Amino acid sequence: MKKNEFLNLLKNKLQVLEEDEVKDILEEYENHIEMKIKEGKTEEEAIRDFGNIDDLTKEILKAYKISDRYTESKESNWETKLNEVVNKIVIFFQDFAKKISSKGSEEIIAIVVKVILLLLGIAVLKLPFYLIESIGVHLFQSLPSIFSSTFSMLWKVIVEFSYLIVAIFIIYYFVKHVIIEDKMENALPKSLQKERIESSPKKKRENQVKEEPIERKEARHQRQKELLEKRSHMTNPFRIIIQILVVLFTLPCVFIAAFLILGMGIMIAFAFQGVFLLSAFCILSGLILIAVGFLGLVYHLAFKGVK
Amino acid sequence: MNSQFKKGVLELIVLCSAFDQDRYGYELVEAVSKVVDVNEGTIYPLLKRLTNEHYFETYLVESKEGPPRKYYKITVLGKQRCDILKAQWNDFFQSVNEFLKGC
């Protein structure tokens, strides 16, 4: 087996792991093979020394505390796939929460404004879809009555679904855009970005810490501490007032959320009786999400924001 | 030699061989495989695990020949772990030897 072949095979077998980690491992093996070649071995010999690639994969996964059963069942089992997706979502939200807590109030307001604009945009996007839907329904009404009702129903479902998909895509792109922007902001200076291609962010951070002289590090820590102390002194009385205000203002919001959930219940009851209002259902669930998200954000800002 | 025997002491040997100085991956693997006859490919996952468990820290150093090298530096936790393993090994070794004398 040639080097590239071996590395590709290993890469495929390690798909369960995160990309950075896989790259890390593959780099080590690549280096190893290259060193062996320098010592006079051939590629094939160096790779043969690694033994059976499946055993090797098992060893690597064991190092990550992932049983090999996981990879074996991965392709056939929906449950594991679902778990993976759920894990990714959880990690995404954790990152998002961390990011928000590390940001100033201006940036948070900017994000909130962006989100509101996005929602408005999606709401406006509903109009052309509504137009298409009603045109289609009118067209179908010219057909005999047996066809018209089924076709118009089908048409409605198709249009609503495509709207839903478009909306989801827009939200997805928006979220991605915001996150990518954040990453760019947090990224290191350009001189270090070249290195990024070769090494994972984790490594880079380690490198940086290494290179920084200890005295400077200590000085920086002290400065940070002083800043933090100052900040907490200044904000303490303010924060209590803000917290009280927040509680007063969010109470109506809580009631609204409760009513929304009640409305959702009624919708579901309607659905059981054969009346399925798809758009109202979507709008209600969206509003509930917004309300809950808003409450969560406010709570986070008021009670956990400044650390 | 029995592969289960090897696996048990491999961690101790890896930790010990980076105890006094930082070493890069290949160097460590070579040092370890001089002591125990082991599949060299399996040492990298072990290094990975020990790093994940904070017994090692890693950093990159540019090398004149080829890509940058990843160095492994033992942490305080790693040193403690090494001492514990060493003590356990010595105890084990002694009691087994004592027992074998009577055989």
Side-chain angles (χ1 to χ4, degrees), chain B residues 8-28:
Chain B
V9 287
L10 208 54
E11 185 177 333
L12 172 61
I13 294 166
V14 168
L15 284 170
C16 267
S17 48
F19 200 93
D20 294 325
Q21 66 185 99
D22 303 353
R23 288 172 187 260
Y24 61 92
Y26 186 75
E27 202 182 0
L28 257 178

Side-chain angles (χ1 to χ4, degrees), chain A residues 28 32 60 65 85 134 188 198 208 218 227 249 251 265 278:
Chain A
E28 289 276 38
H32 185 94
I60 296 170
K65 304 210 164 98
V85 172
S134 50
L188 289 146
E198 285 180 352
Q208 259 209 327
E218 275 171 4
L227 257 176
F249 276 111
L251 264 180
L278 187 62

Side-chain angles (χ1 to χ4, degrees), chain A residues 224-237:
Chain A
Q224 271 178 347
K225 249 187 216 165
E226 280 165 17
L227 257 176
L228 272 179
E229 272 166 21
K230 245 190 224 168
R231 222 201 239 172
S232 56
H233 273 298
M234 272 178 30
T235 47
N236 256 347

